[in-house]
Amino acid sequence: MRAGTGRVRLVAITALAALALATAACADDSTDGTSASPAASGGGSMKNGLKIAFLPKQVNNPYFTTSDNGGKTAVEEIKGTYSETGPSEASPSAQVSYINTLSQQNTDVIVVSANDKDAICGALNEARQGGAKVVTFDSDTNPTCRDLFINQATAEGIAKNQVKLISDAVGPDGGEIAILSATANATNQNTWIEMMKTELAKPEYAKLKLVDTVYGDDQDQKSFTETQALLAKHPNLKGIISPTTVGVAAAARYLSGSSYKGKVQLTGLGTPNQMRAFVKDGTVKAFALWNPADLGYLAAYAGGALASGLITGKEGDKFTAGKLGEFTVGKDATVLLGDPFTFNASNIDQFNF
Ligand code: RAM
């Protein structure tokens, strides 16, 4: 099913990656170091020497370390200069000063996961007026402040996945569930929560009742204590959805050391490395994510294609993202990576990120 199909796709991607690297190595031999990389489709070539900067929601989050490293791989492939900068806390306006600095440094492409859809708009638009291209990934801004959004999976797909996972974990009797989110302003979280509410309104989920939504701010300790408080406040709680890698790991740690382990179910969006122990000890049956490295990789290629003038971000634009192949820009200047992938005890050991 979804997990199986996804696994095949991930394996296939690895094989393609090896092929792409081999091909890139051959191409390197024949260049003089100044010509453009033949990395994008559409009749032109990727410019060399582009300054491409990654600005995650926060820098000390393993999810973003993985995504940004994926970006670094891509930037190296297109012979650009990679950098990563950003705040240590995912607060709404914390990214503004970093954007201003990147702008002053004449950065060609800013690849950003937004903590707030509006708070960073002014700074991003100034950067664009100065000639930078702005690519959002993971968490979008208002579409008027960026050139492209690289979406990890559709909000609908993520919501369907998360609600199905908690429903399966809780079982046919259903009961009360809650959401432990990241920050209250995060565009991605809020979009997913709205879609989860739509999903929960379907007849097949009539026995699940969403009783609370709390915010751990993508801080480990706050997410841990919010989980504790949630369980104290709702003694009949049967399940928690935490669609944030920081939140779901903290909630799992709390549950696994408490008397709620195995009684209150947990799912969410997590990284295999952070969740492995909690799948093995029975705290979590299944959770989901996408490949964050691929997300960063795709975002870097998209930014390179924009800054090289190969695409403008209009619907129907096509570009090639190295080992991931060709992508087409969809509605609202959005590019979709793929489907969410479900991890469980049977497949988790195949992943290392
Ligand atoms: C956290 C962040 C990020 C989200 C993942 C699932 O790392 O909130 O934005 O996409 O979780």
Side-chain angles (χ1 to χ4, degrees):
M1 298 186 239
R2 173 161 279 158
T5 314
R7 187 167 66 78
V8 170
R9 184 169 175 265
L10 286 182
V11 170
I13 283 171
T14 309
L16 275 175
L19 188 65
L21 282 177
T23 315
C26 293
D28 279 351
D29 291 337
S30 59
T31 61
D32 61 7
T34 54
S35 61
S37 321
S41 65
S45 295
M46 199 74 92
K47 275 188 194 161
N48 284 173
L50 292 172
K51 288 205 255 176
I52 302 183
F54 272 66
L55 175 52
K57 281 182 173 176
Q58 53 184 163
V59 286
N60 51 355
N61 174 343
Y63 168 85
F64 287 113
T65 305
T66 306
S67 64
D68 296 5
N69 276 334
K72 182 169 187 264
T73 303
V75 174
E76 284 167 2
E77 285 174 14
I78 63 174
K79 300 182 175 57
T81 307
Y82 165 87
S83 64
E84 189 206 41
T85 187
S88 53
E89 287 203 358
S91 64
S93 54
Q95 292 170 310
V96 170
S97 62
Y98 294 91
I99 296 166
N100 292 340
T101 303
L102 290 173
S103 196
Q104 282 152 17
Q105 291 166 345
N106 295 321
T107 306
D108 296 297
V109 182
I110 299 175
V111 183
V112 56
S113 170
N115 282 316
D116 184 294
K117 75 179 179 36
D118 297 310
I120 58 174
C121 271
L124 288 178
N125 278 333
E126 265 180 46
R128 292 168 81 198
Q129 276 153 24
K133 296 295 178 189
V134 171
V135 176
T136 52
F137 78 114
D138 177 69
S139 183
D140 200 7
T141 51
N142 185 320
T144 57
C145 331
R146 46 73 170 166
D147 297 288
L148 272 183
F149 170 48
I150 312 301
N151 196 4
Q152 50 270 58
T154 64
E156 194 188 6
I158 291 171
K160 274 183 195 288
N161 168 286
Q162 296 286 278
V163 171
K164 175 84 169 71
L165 289 181
I166 203 63
S167 174
D168 288 350
V170 164
D173 291 341
E176 295 183 358
I177 61 165
I179 295 174
L180 168 67
S181 181
T183 54
N185 290 29
T187 325
N188 57 347
Q189 296 284 323
N190 291 337
T191 312
W192 301 338
I193 291 169
E194 276 317 301
M195 289 304 297
M196 282 190 232
K197 288 180 181 165
T198 306
E199 192 63 17
L200 283 166
K202 293 185 176 167
E204 60 261 45
Y205 298 122
K207 288 191 174 160
L208 288 178
K209 187 170 176 235
L210 180 64
V211 292
D212 217 341
T213 299
V214 297
Y215 299 89
D217 291 348
D218 270 348
Q219 291 171 26
D220 174 71
Q221 196 50 42
K222 182 155 194 280
S223 305
F224 187 89
T225 50
E226 288 291 343
T227 307
Q228 197 171 18
L230 203 49
L231 291 159
K233 188 171 162 202
H234 302 284
N236 294 323
L237 202 68
K238 291 287 184 293
I240 300 172
I241 301 175
S242 185
T244 134
T245 57
V246 180
V248 75
R253 195 169 81 251
Y254 177 74
L255 287 176
S256 95
S258 78
S259 58
Y260 299 106
K261 179 178 166 188
K263 297 191 185 112
V264 174
Q265 302 299 325
L266 171 67
T267 193
L269 299 174
T271 68
N273 287 355
Q274 287 175 291
M275 297 303 287
R276 193 174 336 273
F278 306 116
V279 168
K280 298 220 164 174
D281 79 1
T283 305
V284 172
K285 290 174 183 157
F287 64 95
L289 198 69
W290 39 91
N291 185 330
D294 285 352
L295 184 66
Y297 183 93
L298 174 57
Y301 265 95
L306 280 168
S308 303
L310 300 175
I311 57 172
T312 59
K314 74 172 187 315
E315 192 171 351
D317 273 356
K318 291 186 194 310
F319 63 99
T320 300
K323 67 181 181 184
L324 296 181
E326 189 176 76
F327 287 80
T328 304
V329 176
K331 226 170 128 263
D332 301 325
T334 295
V335 177
L336 183 64
L337 176 66
D339 292 323
F341 178 83
T342 300
F343 303 89
N344 56 32
S346 73
N347 65 17
I348 194 159
D349 282 337
Q350 295 161 23
F351 300 96
N352 185 15
F353 62 88

